[in-house]
Amino acid sequence: MKKKHIILGIESSCDETAASVVQENDQDIPIILSNIVSSQVNVHKEFGGVVPELAARSHIEKIDLITKKAIDESGVKFKDLDAIAATAGPGLIVCLAVGLSFGKSVASSLNKPFIAVNHLEGHALSPKLNSKLNYPYLLLLVSGGHTQFLSIEGLGKYKRLGTTIDDAVGEAFDKTAKLLGIEFPGGPKIEEFAKKGDPKKYELPKPIINKGGCNLSFAGLKTAVLKISKQIKTNQEKYDLAASFQGTVEEILNKKSKFAFEEFKKINKKKNNTFVVAGGVAANKKIRENLTNLCKEENFNPVFPPINLCGDNAAMIAMVGLEKFKLKQFNNLDYPAKPRWQLDENATFLKGSGIRL
Ligand code: KG4
Ligand code: ZN
């Protein structure tokens, strides 16, 4: 019988210290033997955002314990591992350096291959952890640092179709939450507030909604929320603003996804198209519901990772590690941490002034 390969994944790109062990299986859906995520919410909440030095310190304190826990829970021994995969970017360099160096040390001490993984590639392929997914598919990646549409054409073959020209949607959720007095990270709480509010109460801007193809923009929306939040007095008004914000984001994502469907169909002439939505914001149930309905209308098959695999985790890193292992895509131990690392390395940098849409 063919050996089922086992990979240890390590993730420390931002404020989650995570380790996971996954194993190959015959159905092409790897089995998660363990998936440990230690969040630093308590470290950062008084600052209203992630403080890089504190995050790095916390990673240093926990990475060995979290990894040991992942190994113990998986029921395998270090000697059973076939390779070690660690996130090498993008992210906060002081944080990346912790998990990356730790992963390299484990690989070196065990004399096993080391695999450097792009964190965004982890999100992009994350639904493969619970469903069989064939290339190509259209991806909407919605996280705290990224909002992009990509055509995922194979492992390492990514074509960007659109991106935010300013803020990421997760960032807009977190800023809105902060303005409403919600502790960091506020995205999930906005969703709760929104259920109690009137989405039509405040008219909020939807920048570049009808131009720029499937590029997106959230900075103007954030500024409008800032202005309104200054006049808010009651809890009901807070719920109404959360609902209006949530509704506006849904409308933007729906409209831009529709544009992206057209772009995707131009380059991939398949009949059965798949739309994957991944990253932290993909945990938002209303956004999932809306995009699922849009897929029904537009003849796309919607795929979401399970909610617990939307946010940062190491199972997705180990899974990409496994895919790369099968192709013998190993890396040297001098592989650098990369704070910026685009999935589509040919895509032009679109942020900042002077962009033409
Ligand atoms: O993918 P992720 O865990 O980390 C990054 O790689 O950025 O995404 C984190 C982002 C945060 O902005 C967080 O507020 C947002 O995902 N988020 C949500 C929800 N859960 C997490 N945003 C909206 N609704 C949610 N339920
Ligand atoms: Zn992430």
Side-chain angles (χ1 to χ4, degrees):
M1 206 172 65
K2 198 177 143 251
K3 180 179 184 312
K4 302 281 182 287
H5 295 112
I6 304 175
I7 311 290
L8 167 68
I10 292 172
E11 156 65 34
S12 72
S13 64
C14 189
D15 60 341
E16 255 96 32
T17 317
S20 165
V21 179
V22 307
Q23 183 171 27
E24 192 177 12
N25 90 344
D26 289 333
Q27 280 71 49
D28 213 17
I29 303 173
I31 302 167
I32 303 175
L33 300 179
S34 65
N35 184 22
I36 313 292
V37 181
S38 168
S39 165
Q40 303 176 359
V41 166
N42 289 333
V43 177
H44 304 289
K45 71 176 175 200
E46 66 178 291
F47 304 100
V50 177
V51 183
E53 270 67 29
L54 294 181
R57 182 189 287 223
S58 180
H59 288 308
I60 291 168
E61 283 167 6
K62 291 196 194 134
I63 192 94
D64 44 1
L65 293 173
I66 297 295
T67 305
K68 182 167 184 309
K69 204 165 167 203
I71 293 290
D72 289 348
E73 271 195 21
S74 72
V76 304
K77 304 262 181 296
F78 274 106
K79 68 174 176 43
D80 302 324
L81 298 173
D82 290 286
I84 289 76
T87 303
L92 299 166
I93 191 152
V94 284
C95 295
L96 290 165
V98 179
L100 185 61
S101 314
F102 188 80
K104 288 173 180 173
S105 316
V106 176
S108 162
S109 65
L110 297 172
N111 207 14
K112 308 270 175 167
F114 170 73
I115 300 166
V117 174
N118 182 317
H119 176 87
L120 303 178
E121 197 167 20
H123 282 302
L125 306 191
S126 60
K128 276 178 169 276
L129 284 164
N130 77 327
S131 47
K132 197 158 165 38
L133 201 55
N134 295 323
Y135 301 116
Y137 57 86
L138 173 66
L139 170 75
L140 168 59
L141 175 63
V142 273
S143 72
H146 299 268
T147 306
Q148 300 180 15
F149 289 101
L150 292 132
S151 170
I152 306 293
E153 293 166 4
L155 185 72
K157 294 191 189 126
Y158 311 119
K159 185 170 187 314
R160 196 184 73 194
L161 306 179
T163 184
T164 177
I165 58 166
D166 39 54
D167 298 331
V169 63
E171 207 177 329
F173 264 97
D174 293 335
K175 289 270 161 58
T176 301
K178 197 172 172 187
L179 292 168
L180 295 180
I182 299 169
E183 273 180 354
F184 174 84
K189 260 281 173 63
I190 288 285
E191 195 181 355
E192 294 307 311
F193 271 37
K195 285 185 195 152
K196 297 184 262 184
D198 172 8
K200 300 250 166 356
K201 173 78 187 279
Y202 301 103
E203 174 101 25
L204 297 170
K206 301 169 203 97
I208 68 166
I209 188 135
N210 288 317
K211 55 180 180 180
C214 52
N215 289 307
L216 311 100
S217 164
F218 294 97
L221 171 58
K222 214 175 67 184
T223 312
V225 170
L226 169 69
K227 278 194 194 140
I228 298 170
S229 68
K230 288 187 177 148
Q231 292 142 27
I232 273 183
K233 299 200 177 61
T234 65
N235 277 341
Q236 189 54 51
E237 283 173 327
K238 283 190 181 178
Y239 301 148
D240 291 342
L241 184 52
S244 304
F245 170 82
Q246 162 90 35
T248 306
V249 169
E250 284 164 17
E251 211 181 315
I252 295 172
L253 293 182
N254 265 32
K255 187 83 185 251
K256 291 297 179 175
S257 298
K258 231 170 151 172
F259 278 124
F261 288 176
E262 294 314 311
E263 293 291 310
F264 183 75
K265 283 193 284 193
K266 274 186 217 157
I267 51 174
N268 296 293
K269 308 262 184 245
K270 267 197 348 175
K271 282 235 164 61
N272 302 314
N273 288 315
T274 298
F275 183 43
V276 170
V277 186
V281 182
N284 189 292
K285 296 200 188 67
K286 277 293 294 303
I287 291 176
R288 287 167 95 103
E289 225 176 271
N290 261 283
L291 293 175
T292 302
N293 290 338
L294 179 74
C295 281
K296 274 190 202 137
E297 287 162 24
E298 301 285 324
N299 226 355
F300 267 71
N301 170 36
V303 177
F304 299 89
I307 302 265
N308 69 321
L309 295 175
C310 285
D312 289 347
N313 66 83
M316 65 184 193
I317 303 303
M319 188 263 302
V320 174
L322 177 59
E323 298 281 298
K324 291 187 152 196
F325 180 86
K326 290 190 225 158
L327 300 174
K328 294 202 167 30
Q329 291 183 4
F330 307 143
N331 298 101
N332 293 333
L333 294 180
D334 60 357
Y335 197 92
K338 298 180 179 179
R340 276 189 192 287
W341 187 3
Q342 298 203 89
L343 273 183
D344 176 354
E345 294 186 341
N346 296 319
T348 44
F349 189 60
L350 257 195
K351 283 198 179 181
S353 57
I355 31 158
R356 262 183 271 137
L357 292 167

